[in-house]
Amino acid sequence: HLLLCVLVKLYILRRTMKAIIVIWSIVSIGYGVPNDIRVRTINEGTCQYTFVVPEEMAPPTHSCPDTGKLQADLEDLHGIVEGQQAVLNALDNRLTQLETILLASQNSASADHSLGSELNPASSCLHIKQTSPSSQDGAYFLIGKDGTIYQTYCDMTTAGGGWTLVSSVHEDDMYGKCTAGDRWSSTRGNNINYPGGDGNWANVHTFGSMGSATTDDYKNPGYFSIDATNVMLWHVPNNVPPEGYKTAAYLRYRTSNGFLEQYGGNLYSLFKDHFPIGYNLGTYTHDNGPAIPIVYEQGSDHLVQSLLPPNVVSGNEAIPGFVQFRVFTNNGVCLAVCPGVTYVGLNAEHACIGGGGYYDALSQCGDYGSNDWDG
């Protein structure tokens, strides 16, 4: 019975070895196996022994009482089986390794290496457009000057294309005044000890993501690392996914005079080196920043004016057709951007966004200040 069990194990081993040798021959690996193994039966009088031995070996002869020798032969056969199984296990492990290497090589060969892919990020959307003029609107991978790789949206069709989304100023809680979501003003409350607020208009902090730019504030490395000449602003409703940004925007406009070239090439330099943000740093009569004319891609002066609070319109405090940077109120409050208008009145908090960390009234503190003012 014991010898029969050994025979079964050897037979399985032999079949397994043949299967593995066929597979490995593909990768030119040879392996020697013992000659055929046979069952031999010897009759000695009234005793019959059954041995499993290689074909070229003479079967051992024993008398019936010689059980010790039979046990030794059995143990030798067990040793042979275990040794061959170890070899097969090693070959199987090596085959698995080679299959893994081959799969990785195939994946690498089929991966996207085009400019703007994750494996080949570009310095800007304009870089992609200049290299591949047929590039379309959508998400691309860019790399900052510090080596940071990030994904953002590229407008590849407006005015020649190559526009990079670098930030979004988002508001979904007008009742939250300088709270956690107000990264473009202050997340630390209305505190005169932080006159510049969080300072994100003029620092290299980043936050948010391209995919959630209409549900949260967003700022990527392009804000401070890309050298640009103009800016484009889109007014997009909340909770719109990236593929819908452009079509959902009810206002889309851009500058066209290359004004950023004289202010360091991006908004980071404009605010850091030329028009710093902070409470009481200037007056609305003398220290407001540049107002740049805009070109509409979607919308008009009439639409912009219809969206302004009634008191701003009745007082002629804002003139549509511009985007203005760093504007003060009559109380020294500092706002960062006036989208779609140049502000000439006292109450810039009703139409401009972002800014410093202190407001003379708590009700005006936040990324959108008093844009909800009803007049």
Side-chain angles (χ1 to χ4, degrees):
H1 177 72
L2 287 176
L3 291 174
L4 178 61
C5 290
V6 174
L7 173 61
V8 172
K9 290 180 69 176
L10 285 173
Y11 181 64
I12 294 173
L13 174 62
R14 180 169 172 262
R15 289 176 58 87
T16 304
M17 288 166 61
K18 285 186 178 180
I20 291 179
I21 291 170
V22 170
I23 295 172
W24 280 71
S25 66
I26 297 173
V27 290
S28 300
I29 294 178
Y31 178 73
V33 297
N35 293 329
D36 200 8
I37 297 173
R38 298 176 181 272
V39 178
R40 299 186 183 184
T41 302
I42 299 174
N43 292 299
E44 291 186 1
T46 59
C47 281
Q48 178 174 304
Y49 311 113
T50 303
F51 298 94
V52 182
V53 295
E55 186 177 20
E56 70 275 11
M57 291 179 59
T61 58
H62 306 289
S63 62
C64 286
D66 195 1
T67 56
K69 182 60 176 174
L70 289 173
Q71 184 64 36
D73 290 339
L74 179 61
E75 290 175 355
D76 289 342
L77 290 173
H78 274 297
I80 293 172
V81 172
E82 291 174 356
Q84 296 298 330
Q85 188 63 53
V87 172
L88 290 175
N89 289 341
L91 290 173
D92 187 56
N93 290 337
R94 182 56 181 157
L95 178 60
T96 300
Q97 293 173 1
L98 290 175
E99 289 174 341
T100 301
I101 293 172
L102 177 61
L103 180 61
S105 177
Q106 291 172 339
N107 290 339
S108 177
S110 62
D112 184 5
H113 289 80
S114 61
L115 187 64
S117 66
E118 190 171 10
L119 295 176
N120 188 21
S123 59
S124 69
C125 295
L126 181 59
H127 181 200
I128 299 171
K129 185 66 176 180
Q130 291 172 336
T131 303
S132 303
S134 61
S135 297
Q136 298 299 305
D137 298 347
Y140 292 84
F141 285 93
L142 305 183
I143 184 168
K145 291 180 178 178
D146 64 350
T148 300
I149 296 175
Y150 61 98
Q151 187 179 36
T152 194
Y153 184 89
C154 296
D155 179 343
M156 297 300 200
T157 53
T158 299
W163 299 86
T164 304
L165 174 64
V166 298
S167 63
S168 73
V169 184
H170 168 262
E171 183 63 80
D172 61 3
D173 182 14
M174 287 300 296
Y175 298 104
K177 299 301 180 179
C178 285
T179 51
D182 293 314
R183 297 182 184 87
W184 293 105
S185 53
S186 174
T187 60
R188 297 178 287 191
N190 191 33
N191 194 331
I192 198 170
N193 294 310
Y194 302 110
D198 286 8
N200 285 320
W201 293 99
N203 64 31
V204 295
H205 295 163
T206 60
F207 41 82
S209 67
M210 178 270 296
S212 61
T214 60
T215 60
D216 199 0
D217 293 331
Y218 176 46
K219 179 184 175 188
N220 66 42
Y223 180 88
F224 48 81
S225 66
I226 293 177
D227 293 326
T229 57
N230 288 291
V231 299
M232 180 161 60
L233 285 76
W234 293 1
H235 296 230
V236 184
N238 285 346
N239 303 314
V240 174
E243 61 271 18
Y245 289 170
K246 194 170 190 175
T247 55
Y250 52 89
L251 279 171
R252 289 187 287 114
Y253 49 85
R254 59 185 172 83
T255 64
S256 60
N257 62 1
F259 80 101
L260 280 177
E261 292 180 310
Q262 60 184 307
Y263 298 121
N266 49 53
L267 294 181
Y268 163 78
S269 295
L270 182 147
F271 289 116
K272 181 177 182 295
D273 302 324
H274 301 277
F275 300 99
I277 301 293
Y279 176 70
N280 242 2
L281 291 182
T283 65
Y284 78 98
T285 55
H286 296 92
D287 301 301
N288 287 350
I292 313 300
I294 58 176
V295 176
Y296 290 100
E297 300 293 337
Q298 173 71 33
S300 63
D301 286 351
H302 177 73
L303 178 57
V304 170
Q305 184 153 329
S306 71
L307 298 171
L308 295 172
N311 66 318
V312 173
V313 176
S314 62
N316 295 317
E317 293 195 12
I319 303 172
F322 299 85
V323 57
Q324 189 170 15
F325 303 94
R326 213 281 297 273
V327 175
F328 293 97
T329 71
N330 61 324
N331 294 315
V333 173
C334 184
L335 288 305
V337 180
C338 300
V341 301
T342 177
Y343 213 89
V344 295
L346 312 178
N347 306 296
E349 71 273 12
H350 297 314
C352 305
I353 62 176
Y358 182 71
Y359 296 72
D360 59 312
L362 176 61
S363 61
Q364 300 174 359
C365 193
D367 286 354
Y368 278 74
S370 290
N371 278 233
D372 61 340
W373 182 257
D374 62 7

